[in-house]
Structures are given as C-alpha cells and as structure tokens.
Amino acid sequence: MGASSSTPLRECWPSIPANRIWKLYSESINSPQKFWGKQAREHLSWYRDFGIVHSGSFANEDNAWFLGGKLNASFNCVDRHAFEDPDKVALIYEADEAGSGRTLTYGDLLREVCKLSHVLKGMGVQKGDIVAVYMPMIPEAVIALLACSRIGAVHSVIFAGFSADSVRDRVFDAKCKVVLTVDESKRGGKTIGIKTVIDKAIAQCPTVSNVLVFKRTGAEVPWVSGRDRWWHEELRKWPGYIPPEEMDSEDPLFLLYTSGSTGKPKGVVHSTGGYLVGAASTGKYVFDIHDGDRFFCGGDVGWITGHTYVVYAPLLLGISTVIFEGTPVHPTPSRYWDIIEKHQVTQFYVAPTALRLLKRYGSEHVTGARSHLRVLGSVGEPIAPDVWKWYFETVGKTEAHIVDTYWQTETGCHAITPLAGITPMKPGSASLPFFGIDPVILDPVSGAEVDGNNIEGVLAFKQPWPSMARTVWGAHERYMDTYLKPFDGYYYTGDGASRDDDGFFWIRGRMDDIINVSGHRLSTAEIEAALIEHPTVSEAAVVATPDEITGQSSTAFLTLKDGSEVFETLHAELVLQVRNTIGPFAAPKGIYVVPDLPKTRSGKIMRRILRKIMAGEVDQLGDISTLSDPSAVGKIIEAVKAAA
Ligand code: WTA
C-alpha cells in the first residue's frame, strides 16, 4: 500500500530536512511496522517489549498495536521524568483569578498521583473499572487522569459544562464506581456549582459508590455521608508512592463520550500503547517539542484536545504544560498573552473561535513579550484565512510557525497537519498527512477514490494508525457503522475535504449532522431530542448556521402539539430545556416556531432546505414540489424574515 500516487507529497516538502521527512513519511506508510516500532521504543518506556507492532485490518475490525507490550501511562508521563529530575516543572496552573495559581514539579506530581491512586484503590477501584472525572481545569484534573491510568482504571472525563442529565447518561452507560469532582468551579469570574450537578446526576446512577470532592472554593456543598469524601482528607491518609500497574498495550486507557449523528453520545475507547505513541509522536513532530519547552494548550480536559495536548503529549515528552482555568477575556482580553509572557510559553494551541473573539477585541490587546513562541497551533474547526493571518502576523509577529491541525476524538491525535518548521504554510489548509495517515478523497456516492489534484469529496483514511479509537463502549456495531462500514476498507472521517493543486488538504466540514459551536462538538439530533422533551413541542429540526464568533451556531425550527400556543416565555423555556438536558453551551441561538416543517411525502424532514433558508439562499432551494406540503417553505421563510 502506498501514499496516493497522485499526491506529490515529495514536492510539497522542498527543503533539505523535508526530504528526510518525506523518507520518514514513506516509511510510515509502506513499512508501518518498522516506523511505528521505532517511534514506540523511542518515546515510551515498556516493562515488556512488544513482539508484533500491528495486526488486524479495518475489514476484520481487529486492529491492535504493539502486541505483547506492557507499559503504564502514568509511569511514562510522570515517574521516568521525576526520577531523572524531580524539580523539573510539570504543571503550571493559572487560576481563573489573574495572578494566582501554582506550579507542580514532576516530583510533586508523582506524589499527588500516587496518593490519589491509593485513595481510588481504597474505594474499591480495580483494573479495568471506569472512573468518571467531572472537573474544571485545575491540576487535580490532570492528577485524576494519571492516577486512574496508574492503577489500570479507565478514565471517562465529562466536560464540566455538561448538565446533570448528560452526566447521568455518561456515568450510567459506563457503570462508573467512582466520580472525581470539585465543590465549585471558577470561570471568567463566575462561580459554578459543580457538586450540585453531580448530586443530581448520581441520584440515578446506582453503580456509583463514592464521590471524591476537591475543595476549589470552599463553599458549603450538600453532602451524602458515606458516599462523599473530601479529596484533601483522603489523600492525607496515604503515602506518596505506589507502583504502577503493568498494562497491556491494548488495555483501554480512557473513554471519551462524543457526539455522533444520533441523539445518543458515543463512548469512544482509546487503547494505552497506540494512543500514547500517537500523542508523543505528534507532540514531537507537529509542535517540535524539545526539552525545556513550556506548552500552553487552551483546550479543556473535557474534550480530546485537552486529553492529548494538555495532558499526555507534553507530559510524555517531559516538558511543562500550562493548565488554564479561565477564559481568554477575563479579567481582560490580554489574558492569554499575559500567561504566555509570564511563563515564557514556547508553543500555544487554541481553537479559532477564541482567536476570532480576540481579533474582534482588537490587536492593541495583544501585549507582552512573545519572542519565545515558536509554534502557534489551531484546532477543532477551519481557521479562516483572515484569522490565520492575524494569528501569524499579530500574535506570532511572522516568526512562529502556524500549525492548523485537523483531527478528531476518534483519531486520538493529529491526522492532517503541518509539521512545525518544516511544512510550508497555506492559510486555511491543514496541509499534509501526519506519519502513518494515508488520506484519500472518495466520491461520496460511488465510494471510489478520486485521483489527482484539485478535487473534492469525502475524507477517508486508507490504513490503520496506532492511536485510532478501537471501539465504542458497549456498542461496537455503532463503531463499525459510523467509521468502517460507510466505505468498505476505509476509515471514514465524516468530513468533506478537497485536495488542491499542490496536494494540500482543505477540510470543508462535516457531512453528517454534527456541528461545531466554539469548538464544542454537538449533534443536531441531540439538540432536537432535548427540545422534543418540552411538553408543547411536537417536532424539531436543528440546523447549523455560520456564526462570526462561534464558527457555527444552531438554529431550531419547531412545530407545536395540537392545541398548544406560543406563549411569552416559550422561547426562554426551550433554551432552558436544552441547557438542562445537554448543557449551557448547547443552547440554540435562533428558535422559530413554524406551522409545519418541510417534509418529503414519506415524512423525512428536509434539513437541507432549512439550511438554505438560514444562509439566505432562498433562490437555491431546488425542487420543493415533491414535499408533502410545499407551502410550508414559504411560511418558514416569512418567519425567519419577520425575526430578522
Ligand atoms: C473538525 C477535535 C477543520 C472536523 C480535535 C472534525 C477541523 C471534528 C479541524 C472533530 C481543522 C477538527 N480544520 N475542521 N483543523 N480540526 N475539525 O472530535 O469536522 O471534537 O471531524 O475533535 O472537528 O471534532 P472533535
């Protein structure tokens, strides 16, 4: 199997180091066993070396990497660096309150992780058990992940913006025994009652026997005696060392629930060896991480970006990682730049949504010394050329390399991305595949590979890579149906993409019903399901609408049950319904109550028509005469116009 012959990757990398990279890339595709075997031995310490680098295929759904290998994630992230230099800074915590925070050395981190590991074991957590983590961006969140992996437990982080209902569904699905959380969190100057959300969620989860609560604000919180324990009190009881558990390379490291195209989120499962190799190798090559670097990823640990690039990649490579609890505009829109200057950050990584917001505030807020910044990363959504230019010129002063990294919860780490200092930059293009990724563009209808350049279609990967998700928790058929079955023999990304004349890839956005609001991945089906729970709502159709700041926002079209009328507080109630069912970040921006939705005669809602209406392209609706009631369209157009 080779890199798509039509993609002249060699020409894309013209300089001398690039030729070396081309050689490496070719090896990663043509001899993946050799390439990944070397990467795995170079970046990780194994208790027992693996015998076979890779076995299995997409078709047989049995991909496995580094077979026979034994390792521990926490040992690789903490112990080996702590033994070498216990005083090296591991975590730099910047609290929501500007000027406050603390640093933890690798020595500190090892002790904290070990103490928490003891506590978890004391609560009955065993190898293979799933532990839920519902925490804000504080060092204890990182400690939580590492303590789970140390004892062979599987972490399932739930973004702290999810509502009690969402937490309940995730904890219930994974049958978690223990939940790690805080009393309250602080973000952008606001205080959020985290423990009360957990109490509500856990009330319906019989598997949870213990909740461990870290005291972040010290507020009075409701307490279930016997079940709830204070973090500081429990950790005090245990010594600062516990040996790590020897895990099999294919043992699951974590679950991360993510939105699919149905209403029910999927628990994406990542394995230990493969995921860690992906995290370390992308950290090294994409971000050019070197010893002594200080890495600042603004992503939240509740999403994959936080897992791989706040926690695993920087710690595997033994550098310092910034944990930022706040928002980019609190107390001022210079907060990121203050942190970057204060900690002499070398790599900075955020979603374009934050950049759009900061650009709008004005370049005068981009202050402080930034000459130490070598790499500026972008993630999670397309970055528009004007925002890219602002990032490059205003933030990076044309001296830092911009890496527009395309990947997914399911890929585990970067898939299509520039390599810092090597790949030529094109604003708006995620550029070229990372090692081991063999991307192809498929015709969405026939599934045939579209050869040549200057072409468009759906993006798929032709061969397995170490950090690919192995399954969906308890629902392997969903894994197959979503990723491996749509196009036989390929991993289907769900994204549309094009390849330009130079062989560079441009991501065009999702082909399914997943939307991306401020870098938060949501499914329109999830929001629809939430809206339908309101007693007056009969049917709901949610579509993505382009948004200047959040990238996309959601717009809901609803019909009401017979006899129901629009009342004054309906809009507010519907927003609350979504906030309570999913979380505040999922609330639709626009809500239209209409007499009917555009449907085919067989009853299928034509969301495409709604998207066109929202885009103002009412002259491009296509043939609507086949709808069960074509007049519904005119009424919707009127409703949208009236609200404008
Ligand atoms: C989108 C986030 C354009 C894409 C790491 C993908 C991007 C989805 C980019 C995954 C990028 C991610 N350019 N689009 N650089 N990176 N996406 O699972 O649609 O939260 O399928 O992972 O985000 O979102 P997820």
Side-chain angles (χ1 to χ4, degrees), residues 8-314:
L9 287 181
R10 183 199 291 272
E11 277 106 84
C12 300
W13 284 312
S15 61
I16 291 171
N19 277 331
R20 225 192 97 223
I21 296 294
W22 164 250
K23 260 202 199 144
L24 273 179
Y25 178 76
S26 306
E27 184 182 88
S28 77
I29 299 299
N30 299 319
S31 316
Q33 311 260 354
K34 189 169 159 205
F35 178 85
W36 288 116
K38 260 193 294 194
Q39 292 289 320
R41 291 189 182 102
E42 184 184 323
H43 297 307
L44 303 181
S45 304
W46 298 79
Y47 294 119
R48 192 172 86 198
D49 195 16
F50 42 87
I52 294 168
V53 174
H54 172 243
S55 82
S57 66
F58 288 152
N60 291 329
E61 54 190 284
D62 57 350
N63 280 295
W65 289 84
F66 314 114
L67 286 80
K70 297 261 185 204
L71 77 169
N72 181 282
S74 159
F75 178 87
N76 274 281
C77 289
V78 190
D79 303 40
R80 51 184 187 151
H81 312 307
F83 297 151
E84 202 180 293
D85 180 3
D87 298 328
K88 195 176 193 183
V89 172
L91 309 184
I92 301 169
Y93 167 48
E94 268 289 325
D96 191 50
E97 301 88 350
S100 79
R102 63 195 159 106
T103 58
L104 276 87
T105 64
Y106 275 96
D108 298 332
L109 186 59
L110 179 58
R111 282 185 292 278
E112 294 289 316
V113 168
C114 285
K115 282 171 173 275
L116 181 59
S117 300
H118 275 296
V119 174
L120 292 174
K121 279 194 140 183
M123 290 176 164
V125 177
Q126 293 171 359
K127 189 170 171 174
D129 284 345
I130 302 171
V131 173
V133 178
Y134 187 68
M135 298 182 85
M137 288 294 289
I138 54 175
E140 285 67 26
V142 179
I143 292 164
L145 269 54
L146 296 167
C148 290
S149 68
R150 189 166 194 88
I151 62 168
V154 178
H155 55 77
S156 172
V157 183
I158 303 168
F159 173 57
F162 275 116
S163 69
D165 286 5
S166 289
V167 174
R168 176 202 58 209
D169 292 349
R170 287 159 174 76
V171 170
F172 193 88
D173 187 61
K175 301 188 180 65
C176 300
K177 268 191 189 167
V178 168
V179 177
L180 305 179
T181 192
V182 295
D183 50 358
E184 294 180 320
S185 71
K186 298 278 290 186
R187 201 158 177 271
K190 292 195 195 108
T191 306
I192 304 146
I194 296 285
K195 173 69 166 49
T196 50
V197 176
I198 285 295
D199 285 341
K200 202 168 156 222
I202 303 304
Q204 297 168 57
C205 298
T207 53
V208 176
S209 49
N210 282 116
V211 176
L212 189 68
V213 187
F214 179 77
K215 202 177 254 192
R216 167 61 181 89
T217 66
E220 282 272 320
V221 286
W223 208 251
V224 177
S225 71
R227 185 196 72 180
D228 299 349
R229 311 266 176 89
W230 283 113
W231 187 291
H232 60 278
E233 286 175 5
E234 295 303 313
L235 262 72
R236 264 206 303 258
K237 298 177 186 164
W238 299 96
Y241 185 76
I242 187 172
E245 193 79 35
E246 291 192 12
M247 303 301 288
D248 195 272
S249 171
E250 277 297 311
D251 279 335
L253 178 63
F254 65 87
L255 304 190
L256 185 56
Y257 283 84
T258 188
S259 294
S261 45
T262 70
K264 201 174 170 310
K266 300 185 287 247
V268 168
V269 180
H270 277 289
S271 71
T272 306
Y275 172 81
L276 295 179
V277 171
S281 58
T282 49
K284 174 174 165 159
Y285 291 106
V286 175
F287 287 120
D288 186 37
I289 289 179
H290 281 87
D291 199 26
D293 280 351
R294 288 154 311 275
F295 192 90
F296 176 12
C297 167
D300 193 285
V301 76
W303 308 106
I304 192 69
T305 304
H307 280 64
T308 311
Y309 299 105
V310 174
V311 184
Y312 287 107

Side-chain angles (χ1 to χ4, degrees), residues 369-422:
R370 296 186 304 286
S371 55
H372 31 81
L373 274 177
R374 301 200 312 274
V375 188
L376 294 172
S378 171
V379 56
E381 36 165 351
I383 178 165
D386 64 312
V387 180
W388 191 102
K389 200 162 166 269
W390 183 81
Y391 204 19
F392 182 58
E393 291 174 357
T394 306
V395 177
K397 298 182 179 163
T398 73
E399 278 168 7
H401 201 118
I402 307 278
V403 292
D404 174 2
T405 62
Y406 165 79
W407 58 298
Q408 309 175 305
T409 304
E410 297 86 342
T411 65
C413 64
H414 303 144
I416 297 189
T417 176
L419 306 182
I422 290 170

Side-chain angles (χ1 to χ4, degrees), residues 326-390:
T327 72
V329 293
H330 177 77
T332 74
S334 300
R335 188 73 198 269
Y336 276 161
W337 324 122
D338 292 347
I339 296 173
I340 286 170
E341 177 174 44
K342 181 171 163 197
H343 300 293
Q344 305 270 298
V345 167
T346 44
Q347 289 94 348
F348 176 57
Y349 191 34
V350 278
T353 186
L355 300 173
R356 286 190 293 266
L357 182 72
L358 294 172
K359 178 170 179 281
R360 190 187 257 197
Y361 269 96
S363 302
E364 67 274 20
H365 298 288
V366 186
T367 49
R370 296 186 304 286
S371 55
H372 31 81
L373 274 177
R374 301 200 312 274
V375 188
L376 294 172
S378 171
V379 56
E381 36 165 351
I383 178 165
D386 64 312
V387 180
W388 191 102
K389 200 162 166 269
W390 183 81

